[in-house]
Amino acid sequence: MYKNIELSASLMCANWLSLKDQILSLEENDIDYMHYNIADGIYAPDFTMGSSIINTVKENTKLPGHYHLMVEEPMRLFENFDLNKNEIFTIHQETSKNLHRDLINIKNKAKVACAISPATPLEYLEYIIEELDNVLVLSVNPGFKSQKLIPQTIRKIEKLKNLIEKMGLDISITADGNINKLNIPDFIKAGANILVLGSSGLFRKDATIKESVEDIKESIDKVL
């Protein structure tokens, strides 16, 4: 954690040919979570990593998991992951037929989070928000990496932050999608306190992980 902002490294954006070295570098450079995207090719039009790959990575890192399931009926995969109370398990509002039941089941093993896609109104969280530890706001459409930021989602984070404060709840906000050194101040000002960092923010072609983290911290300093 850096000045109350937590950093979550999106594993799908890592260099898989040098993954072991990159995991070590993430641990050495103040990353708080390993972010695991799981997509099924149905809700999100791509395939990412499965539980066998994720569990292997977990055996080789001390970083807690930050799971983001972009799959239809995500709880059918829930038992495939070895979770603990320091980890965040995120399912989408749009993909679960019985969202409240699924969120309650997650609470038994991990911190519980609900994700919403860019076009999903915050009102859809109204009757489940009290059960949450975290809300993940996607600032790109679910699926592929390296998409352009949808700027309206920053306004959505601000509205969500105001709602959380008005209700007196202890809920963190994750921003996920094209988070980089240029727009980090906007996300933090809006109310995000967990940043998912991928190809534009952390696993950059023009910088090492150490250099990227230094740039990220400079961006945080501009706000806090």
Side-chain angles (χ1 to χ4, degrees):
M1 181 180 291
Y2 182 72
K3 295 188 175 180
N4 293 320
I5 302 297
E6 293 184 300
L7 308 179
S8 188
S10 182
L11 191 65
M12 69 180 290
C13 299
N15 182 346
W16 284 77
L17 297 180
S18 57
L19 186 58
K20 185 175 181 180
D21 291 337
Q22 290 206 323
I23 289 173
L24 181 60
S25 184
L26 293 172
E27 293 176 342
E28 293 174 344
N29 286 282
D30 301 326
I31 298 299
D32 299 286
Y33 294 100
M34 191 73 77
H35 188 81
Y36 302 116
N37 285 297
I38 300 99
D40 62 358
I42 301 173
Y43 176 68
D46 195 9
F47 296 95
T48 53
M49 63 206 85
S51 58
S52 58
I53 293 175
I54 292 171
N55 289 335
T56 298
V57 171
K58 286 188 65 174
E59 292 172 0
N60 292 276
T61 182
K62 62 184 180 182
L63 296 178
H66 186 189
Y67 294 80
H68 180 192
L69 274 71
M70 295 175 283
V71 305
E72 292 293 338
E73 290 303 316
M75 294 306 286
R76 61 191 168 84
L77 304 177
F78 184 58
E79 296 298 331
N80 294 351
F81 303 103
D82 182 19
L83 303 172
N84 63 64
K85 291 291 186 178
N86 293 321
E87 299 184 298
I88 303 173
F89 196 83
T90 312
I91 62 175
H92 266 265
Q93 183 278 334
E94 304 89 357
T95 64
S96 178
K97 291 179 181 177
N98 195 328
L99 183 61
H100 184 272
R101 177 197 62 195
D102 293 345
L103 295 172
I104 295 299
N105 287 338
I106 293 168
K107 276 184 142 181
N108 295 325
K109 288 191 175 182
K111 295 177 183 177
V112 61
C114 186
I116 51 175
S117 291
T120 301
L122 289 177
E123 287 74 15
Y124 282 30
L125 301 178
E126 182 176 0
Y127 295 108
I128 53 92
I129 193 168
E130 289 94 340
E131 307 296 347
L132 302 177
D133 298 301
N134 177 263
V135 177
L136 185 150
V137 179
L138 267 180
S139 48
V140 299
N141 285 306
F144 298 100
K145 63 182 181 179
S146 302
Q147 296 185 65
K148 291 184 178 181
L149 171 71
I150 299 172
Q152 297 94 320
T153 56
I154 296 177
R155 189 169 71 246
K156 182 189 284 188
I157 290 173
E158 184 176 8
K159 185 178 178 181
L160 174 62
K161 179 65 173 178
N162 291 336
L163 174 64
I164 290 169
E165 291 180 346
K166 182 179 180 180
M167 297 182 69
L169 300 174
D170 183 17
I171 299 175
S172 57
I173 299 174
T174 296
D176 184 1
N178 195 19
I179 313 295
N180 58 62
K181 62 182 181 180
L182 298 178
N183 59 34
I184 281 174
D186 296 327
F187 281 103
I188 294 175
K189 287 177 184 176
N193 46 18
I194 301 178
L195 306 175
V196 178
L197 302 160
S199 54
S200 66
L202 183 60
F203 299 104
R204 292 159 43 193
K205 294 181 179 180
D206 63 339
T208 64
I209 288 175
K210 178 176 172 48
E211 291 168 341
S212 295
V213 171
E214 289 174 352
D215 287 343
I216 291 163
K217 288 181 177 179
E218 286 182 10
S219 295
I220 294 172
D221 288 339
K222 293 178 181 179
V223 185
L224 302 179

